[in-house]
Amino acid sequence: MSTDIAQFAAFLQTELELTTGIHAILEQERDALANNDLQGLQTLQQEKTLCLRQLQDHAEQRLLWMKASGLPQSAQCLQHPDIAAAANIRLLWSNLENQYKQNQKLSVQLSDIVLHARHRTLQKLKILRGQQNDPHLYNDKGKASSLKQGQGMLQTQQTALLGHHSRRTL
């Protein structure tokens, strides 16, 4: 039984085009993150979701076709006599493999960018909430008393207000 090389090449070519399109979207996401373009990110996320869904559907069709054709669903298929004789299949397979690796690498970079941005945002929120400050305020006996984390600013303001108010009434 001979394998339909043209069909296999069409599957690989379409999958390569989809993965290349996803790579372009990932690069645009990186630029949008760098420019703090939240609206652009939202649009790109919708586009990427659609492309990923198309890629998944297409890859599933290719794998079903490979199984029905009696081909291994891995690079082992390149050793099949019909496929080994077709230079374009080996090239398409190699290009597709490289594109998947590039997409994975860019996805990791984007993940790192987002995680670092999240960390910086959380650090800023902690500072604004007074959670990184552990002020030691002095009580009325002149001794330092540590406050619960995050209550430094609030307690300081309350103490200052109460202290001024209590002195007036005395």
Side-chain angles (χ1 to χ4, degrees):
M1 177 177 140
S2 93
T3 305
D4 185 357
I5 300 299
Q7 179 63 44
F8 193 41
F11 275 122
L12 294 176
Q13 182 61 44
T14 301
E15 195 168 339
L16 180 59
E17 290 168 5
L18 288 168
T19 56
T20 303
I22 290 169
H23 188 80
I25 292 171
L26 293 173
E27 288 177 329
Q28 291 172 14
E29 280 185 345
R30 184 184 55 205
D31 294 342
L33 281 168
N35 296 324
N36 227 6
D37 180 9
L38 300 180
Q39 184 64 34
L41 271 175
Q42 188 173 10
T43 301
L44 290 168
Q45 180 62 37
Q46 292 168 353
E47 287 178 36
K48 183 176 72 175
T49 299
L50 177 64
C51 285
L52 287 171
R53 194 173 301 125
Q54 290 173 340
L55 177 62
Q56 182 178 6
D57 292 344
H58 186 76
E60 286 174 5
Q61 289 174 1
R62 176 182 55 84
L63 291 172
L64 287 172
W65 180 88
M66 290 174 75
K67 185 176 181 179
S69 298
L71 294 172
Q73 298 175 4
S74 66
Q76 298 273 330
C77 72
L78 299 174
Q79 297 172 5
H80 186 278
D82 293 337
I83 293 174
N88 64 331
I89 298 294
R90 188 170 294 280
L91 179 63
L92 283 169
W93 187 277
S94 176
N95 289 343
L96 184 59
E97 183 178 33
N98 288 335
Q99 190 62 59
Y100 272 116
K101 287 177 183 176
Q102 288 177 16
N103 288 1
Q104 178 64 28
K105 184 179 176 182
L106 189 51
S107 290
V108 168
Q109 289 174 359
L110 286 168
S111 178
D112 287 344
I113 290 169
V114 169
L115 288 175
H116 288 308
R118 180 179 185 269
H119 177 73
R120 283 191 308 271
T121 300
L122 289 174
Q123 291 301 103
K124 289 174 185 176
L125 285 171
K126 282 182 179 180
I127 291 169
L128 290 172
R129 292 179 183 147
Q131 291 175 337
Q132 277 194 324
N133 304 335
D134 186 18
H136 294 289
L137 298 178
Y138 293 95
N139 61 18
D140 57 347
K141 295 183 174 133
K143 294 185 180 179
S145 62
S146 180
L147 298 172
K148 292 180 186 173
Q149 206 174 22
Q151 293 183 349
M153 180 66 88
L154 182 61
Q155 288 286 58
T156 303
Q157 290 174 348
Q158 287 178 346
T159 304
L161 289 174
L162 290 175
H164 289 296
H165 180 67
S166 63
R167 285 188 202 138
R168 288 185 190 159
T169 58
L170 290 176

